[in-house]
Amino acid sequence: KILLRYGQKYLTVLVTDNGKGYDVDEARGKGLGLQNLEGRARSLGGIIRIKSKPGKGSSNILIIQI
């Protein structure tokens, strides 16, 4: 699912899935994928929160001040 929310001060993008999930801390140490997402969010002046658990899917929220 993808949810976009546009307000007066923020753009919020929420992406969720019911996939197999993963350990976020372990994934951060295994490549550049999550680091790349976090870097791109920072370059836009925003933040990204990544939540996932094995067997539970994942939820990612990007918040950018506009």
Side-chain angles (χ1 to χ4, degrees):
K1 294 181 185 179
I2 300 173
L3 173 68
L4 297 172
R5 199 174 278 178
Y6 180 76
Q8 291 181 357
K9 295 184 179 184
Y10 298 98
L11 168 66
T12 304
V13 182
L14 173 64
V15 180
T16 61
D17 68 51
N18 61 353
K20 63 181 183 174
Y22 56 93
D23 182 305
V24 176
D25 292 329
E26 185 178 313
R28 274 196 178 100
K30 284 192 171 181
L32 299 176
L34 294 181
Q35 292 174 14
N36 188 24
L37 289 174
E38 292 166 339
R40 287 174 187 247
R42 279 192 307 274
S43 72
L44 294 170
I47 59 171
I48 189 165
R49 299 285 185 236
I50 302 167
K51 295 182 182 179
S52 185
K53 290 185 180 179
K56 301 288 184 178
S58 63
S59 173
N60 307 284
I61 187 166
L62 170 65
I63 302 169
I64 302 171
Q65 187 172 358
I66 50 176

